[in-house]
Every structure is written in structure tokens, then in C-alpha cells.
Amino acid sequence: MTLDDILAGLFPNGSKIDISGAMIAGSAILPGAGPIHVLGITQGQPLGVDEAVALARRVLEIVKSGDRAPILFLVDSSSQRMSRRDELLGLSEYLSHLAKALLLAEAEGHCTVALLYGGSAAGAFIATALAAGTLVGLPGAHPAVMDLPSMARVTKLPIDVLKAKAEATPVFAPGLENMVQTGGIHLVLDERAPLAPQLAAILKRPQGLDERSRLGAERGGRRKAAEIADRVVALAACAPQGTQHG
Amino acid sequence: MIAATANTDSLSWYEASARQRIDALVDPGSFAEFIGPEQREMSPHLSIFDLPEQFDDGIVVGRGRLEGSPVLVAAQEGRFMGGAFGEVHGAKLTGLLRAARALQQDVLILFDTGGVRLQEANAGELAIAEIMRAVIEARRAGANVIGLIGGRAGCYGGGSLIAGTCSRLIVSEQGRISVSGPEVIETNKGIEEFDSRDRALVWRTMGGKHRYLIGGADTFVDDEALAFRQAAMDALKVTRGCGVAVLEAEQTRLERRLQRFGAARDAVEIWQALGIDTSTDIPALPTDAFLAAANNRENADDAR
């Protein structure tokens, strides 16, 4: 679906959303849910220091407004911007700052939902879609850590071999279904049904719980993560203090 | 009995293994590991690629004491798969941070990583996201999360994003912090954009001195385990949380950095803008002289 189709489907009563360059910012009324902030990165653009700091500024303005309205973050990006300038200026801090702003918004009472409708990869994916309380996708979305040709180069495996391995496991290859199976994407919206009620239902989910590793275990794409993390929590809580002997 | 003053031997942080770093960092004999190598919790995915596993999946997590106070500690082993985040590796750190939130205990993360492990890329990427969330939740519950960066593999990719969520970062000259590695930029954008074989360029763009000068790290230390230990003790003396005020201050700081240095083409131009007369000498300066020259650096106090 195009961005225009998505916005028309979500906000049939209209919206005030500004799309300038790679950036989306504005607000709308979601039928059945009320006012909602809309942000995002579009046109498959990379996320660099300039875009990340502008998006974070908008998120912090929303937090400071105190309205506690939900935030929808639309994502169609490439990866982090790969450039000497961005790394010279400390890109990692800018991407983390955007992720932190989204996590802060959620902690301060804004329901945060990311909608992946195009591509996203690596650091851009982590700083946007994966920093929301709930991530949903649309059919045709294509998340990736690294594309298969690049992966073939790094792992020194022929691409046909990689493709064959990707049939057997969702754990490494790019794609929407793999990200669903590993628990990163909560669900894929039905593009043939009205979008607004589907998003309104997502907004009613409880926030503040990271269910991704549990979902990954249930769906079979990431069987160990939840169990390992839970075991560490239990060991840290139970291991008696002061029993170390030198 | 092990004497309480046993942490006196000189040890290069860069050269040391994850376990050596922990032993030198915390109070002698105080470390207890969670899910140690005897548990054989290895990657379930590397065998798909006919790659060898490691019994601890390249990360050591547990509890110890620093100056007598309890701390949770995680150390990545850069010599196994470049310290990269896979499913088990990442989940051990996620669990440790969730424990930090529940127990309101401080955490030390000894980064040594190239980022996400490509052979389990989706699981690694999600682990990064889960860890970043867990860091912020631990900080909001009152715990400090301190990053120590000075290992062979540096702190790249998703590791650098986790570092960006920490409350303080301690770095040595050897500690490189960057999202895209030099080879990745060169492969994707060409040698004109970044020549990964130009090691001087790598160090002055991503290395510990530059990160300290622009406020990307809070404490600069020698490549010595004892120096990291002392810096960690100092870092734990202040707790800032992670609320609106901290993130607003960080927003201001990061905007200011773009205004001040956004047009610079090389780190040396940034160092000149910071008023360092001998900016071309920075890479060669020993720690004392460097810290003196860095007097007017940008800092991230209360803004990280």
C-alpha cells in the first residue's frame, strides 16, 4: 500500500500530516480512538543524524505537551545512513536518542505503535520500528538486517546456499514473515479490511510489556531467548548475597 | 583468602579476555556467573552454518562487588564471532538488565562487539531492541548502567546503539564506537567515502579520543584494567535516571553538536573548533597531555 492509501484508510475524517522529504509529522483523528500523533520516515530513505534529531525533537515536544495521545510511527526506510560525516558526528548517539525518546513517550503514558509499510534495516529499524511499544506490519513490508547478497559476501557463502538455509530457519534471512516468526512484529494487518479499526484495536493493548521473546518462542522462530532471559532474572534474584568466599 | 587488594597487576584491557576483564574489574573473588559455560547454553543456529559454538556464546554475565557494593556485570568476548549478538548471547544480557530493574542494582557492560551476528541476524537485531528497552527501564527504576569500551572488536552496530542508552560511557583510546564499520561504509558507498585501510582515519573518526572530545563518552582512561575499575567506581557515584529532563538536555546537546561541527569534513576540523591548538597532535598524545588538551571538550553531563 502507498503512504497515501494508508493515511486515507486510517484517517477517513482527514488529518493534518506534513510530508517533507523523508519525514512525516502531524496529527489526526483515528475513528474509535480519538486524537493521534503521526510521525515517520518514508520513501525508503536512510536515517542519519539530521533526520534522527528532528524526529526525536518532535517526540519530545509531544511528551512535553502532556496530552498522552497515542503516537503512530510510520516506517519505510533503508538502513542508517552509511557515511563518514554521520559517523564522525556520532550517529550511534542520535539513533539511540530517537529510540530513547520513543521509549520515554511510552513510559510517560503515550501508547506507541509503529507501522512498517515498506523497508527498514539495521540501525534505522532499531531506532524507529523496534523502539515502539507495538510493531505491526503491512503485507509487502520488507524488514532486513542485511540483504542476502551482502550477507553472502560477509559469510563467504554462495547466495544459493544461503537461500537454501533460509528455507529451513527464520532466524537470519530478511523478510516480514521471518520477523513475525521471531516475535519482532506483533501482527500483520489485513490490507483488504478497513485499517482504522485494526489500529484502534492495537491501541487497546496493554503497554510496557516486552512480549517479543515470548512471541518468538510461541511461533517457533526464537525458541531460546525468553527462557534464557528468564533464567538469568531468576538466578540474579535468588542467588544468595554474601556467600562468596575468597 | 584472597587479599582485598589483589587487583594491582597491570593488564591491558584491549588484550584481555572477557573473563580476565571481569576478574580485574570487580573485587577479588566476588564474581559469580549466571548460566556459565558448564551449562552448555550454546547458539542453536551456528551449526546451520557449520560454525563452531562456544559454551558461553561469547558473553559472561553475573554478579560481583565493586568497592563492596553489589553490581551486575556483563562482558562480551570479542574473540568469539567478533563479540556479536546472537540469540543466546543477547538474551543473557536482556535478562541481566531486567534483573537490574527488579533489584535496582547497577550494571556494568563491558562491550566488545562488531554488532549483530549475521548468522542469526533477526534474533540478534531483536535482542538489541530488547536490551535497549531493558536498559531504559532499569535506569528509570534507579539503576546506573555503565558501558566500558576498549576491546579489540570495538563497539559497533547494534552494540553502539545499546551504548547510547547507557547512563555513562568509559572509553580508552582503543575503544571505537560507530554504527557502520569502516568496511561496511566502504563496501556500500565506495572507497572515496571511507577508506577502511586508512587506519589513522578510522581511529580519528571512531576512536575513543574523538568520542571523548565530542561528548560521545564521559570518561577517558588508559588501556589498563585498573583505570577502568577506578572509572567505574567513580561513575557509580551519581545516578541520573532517564526522564524528560535528561532527554531534553540530550536533544539540546545533540542539536548543538550539529550546529557546531555539522560542516566539518574531518575530526581534526572539529578538534580545531574546540580550540585545541595542537589538534593534529591529538592521536599521538599520551593520556595526561590529551586530557589537558581536552579541557574545552563537549561533555554529556546530565545529558545522556
Side-chain angles (χ1 to χ4, degrees):
Chain A
M1 290 179 89
T2 68
L3 181 58
D4 287 346
D5 292 341
I6 294 164
L7 293 177
L10 285 173
F11 310 121
N13 302 327
S15 55
K16 280 173 56 183
I17 295 169
D18 179 40
I19 301 166
S20 61
M23 315 271 288
I24 303 168
S27 59
I29 305 288
L30 180 69
I36 184 167
H37 299 285
V38 183
L39 292 173
I41 177 164
T42 184
Q43 297 171 7
Q45 292 293 308
L47 186 63
V49 291
D50 303 290
E51 296 84 4
V53 85
L55 286 165
R57 167 182 272 278
R58 184 68 198 117
V59 175
L60 293 178
E61 283 168 0
I62 291 168
V63 173
K64 279 188 287 179
S65 79
D67 69 2
R68 297 189 160 219
I71 298 172
L72 174 66
F73 202 106
L74 296 156
V75 181
D76 171 23
S77 75
S78 58
S79 68
Q80 73 274 8
R81 180 171 288 121
M82 295 177 183
S83 86
R84 181 173 163 183
R85 173 179 178 267
D86 286 82
E87 294 300 350
L88 181 68
L89 292 168
L91 178 59
S92 58
E93 288 180 87
Y94 289 81
L95 297 182
S96 291
H97 178 66
L98 175 55
K100 285 190 282 188
L102 286 166
L103 292 166
L104 174 77
E106 183 183 339
E108 297 286 330
H110 300 265
C111 185
T112 60
V113 176
L115 171 55
L116 180 70
Y117 71 96
S120 193
F125 191 44
I126 295 171
T128 61
L130 290 178
T134 306
L135 170 59
V136 296
L138 270 169
H142 42 99
V145 177
M146 186 182 268
D147 60 283
L148 274 188
S150 301
M151 211 175 265
R153 208 161 47 231
V154 175
T155 59
K156 299 181 175 64
L157 289 169
I159 190 141
D160 290 344
V161 173
L162 270 185
K163 280 182 178 160
K165 291 182 189 300
E167 294 294 315
T169 172
V171 83
F172 75 90
L176 185 64
E177 184 50 35
N178 287 344
M179 204 44 84
V180 170
Q181 282 192 41
T182 46
I185 289 177
H186 185 73
L187 58 79
V188 178
L189 301 182
D190 181 353
E191 61 184 341
R192 291 160 302 185
L195 289 180
Q198 296 183 69
L199 179 59
I202 295 289
L203 292 177
K204 293 196 174 75
R205 291 186 67 243
Q207 291 268 290
L209 291 171
D210 195 338
E211 295 184 312
R212 291 174 288 196
S213 58
R214 189 182 57 72
L215 286 176
E218 286 173 10
R219 294 168 183 175
R222 208 158 47 115
R223 295 172 192 276
K224 298 224 60 142
E227 180 225 324
I228 294 280
D230 286 349
R231 270 169 65 194
V232 171
V233 172
L235 286 163
C238 294
Q241 299 272 348
T243 56
Q244 296 298 312
H245 297 287
Chain B
M1 282 289 289
I2 296 169
T5 54
N7 288 331
T8 50
D9 292 342
S10 173
L11 178 73
S12 162
W13 194 262
Y14 185 78
E15 301 287 346
S17 70
R19 288 171 194 282
Q20 286 175 315
R21 286 179 192 143
I22 290 178
D23 284 345
L25 186 72
V26 300
D27 296 347
S30 71
F31 186 71
E33 187 170 353
F34 304 144
I35 313 186
E38 78 287 351
Q39 304 273 322
R40 304 280 196 273
E41 284 293 359
M42 300 177 285
S43 165
H45 310 298
L46 290 177
S47 61
I48 303 167
F49 294 86
D50 302 317
L51 289 166
E53 298 101 348
Q54 188 158 295
F55 290 153
D56 58 14
D57 204 35
I59 191 169
V60 183
V61 302
R63 86 160 80 247
R65 290 183 174 272
L66 197 62
E67 275 193 309
S69 301
V71 285
L72 299 169
V73 187
Q76 295 182 292
E77 179 50 72
R79 288 181 285 200
F80 175 68
M81 301 294 296
F85 286 86
E87 179 173 356
V88 172
H89 180 119
K92 285 163 85 172
L93 183 50
T94 306
L96 194 77
L97 289 157
R98 288 180 183 162
R101 177 198 195 183
L103 304 170
Q104 293 182 28
Q105 243 170 50
D106 295 333
V107 187
L108 307 174
I109 305 176
L110 286 51
F111 290 99
D112 195 355
T113 186
V116 168
R117 190 184 292 169
L118 284 180
Q119 291 81 2
E120 37 194 301
N122 296 329
E125 187 101 330
L126 293 179
I128 302 286
E130 287 163 346
I131 290 162
M132 290 171 70
R133 175 175 287 267
V135 170
I136 297 306
E137 289 176 350
R139 287 182 61 187
R140 289 179 64 86
N144 288 298
V145 183
I146 313 292
L148 293 75
I149 301 173
R152 277 177 175 274
C155 184
Y156 281 101
S160 75
L161 269 72
I162 297 170
T165 62
C166 289
S167 44
R168 285 188 86 78
L169 293 176
I170 300 162
V171 70
S172 67
E173 180 166 18
Q174 287 81 352
R176 290 138 293 147
I177 307 171
S178 171
V179 189
S180 308
E183 291 82 7
V184 173
I185 301 176
E186 183 183 315
T187 302
N188 284 280
K189 301 296 169 187
I191 199 164
E192 306 78 20
E193 179 69 24
F194 207 108
D195 181 354
S196 65
R197 283 165 306 176
D198 183 346
R199 299 322 285 174
L201 173 66
V202 173
W203 288 109
R204 71 178 186 270
T205 307
M206 304 168 174
K209 280 180 172 170
H210 176 59
R211 292 297 179 232
Y212 179 71
L213 287 171
I214 65 171
D218 304 287
T219 309
F220 182 88
V221 296
D222 271 324
D223 175 40
E224 282 280 337
L226 275 180
F228 275 96
R229 174 178 156 89
Q230 185 59 51
M233 293 189 298
D234 294 342
L236 289 179
K237 293 196 169 95
V238 186
T239 301
R240 292 193 180 82
C242 189
V244 179
V246 168
L247 284 189
E248 271 204 275
E250 184 167 71
Q251 180 76 27
T252 303
R253 173 172 78 82
L254 295 177
E255 287 179 0
R256 174 182 155 91
R257 185 188 294 170
L258 292 189
Q259 285 156 11
R260 267 194 101 178
F261 311 128
R265 283 161 300 165
D266 192 279
V268 173
E269 290 176 31
I270 293 176
W271 304 342
Q272 279 164 356
L274 285 166
I276 299 171
D277 301 331
T278 54
S279 52
T280 52
D281 299 338
I282 285 288
L285 290 180
T287 297
D288 286 351
F290 169 69
L291 289 175
N295 213 19
N296 291 322
R297 75 183 189 99
E298 291 280 335
N299 71 58
D301 295 347
D302 304 315
R304 187 186 305 288

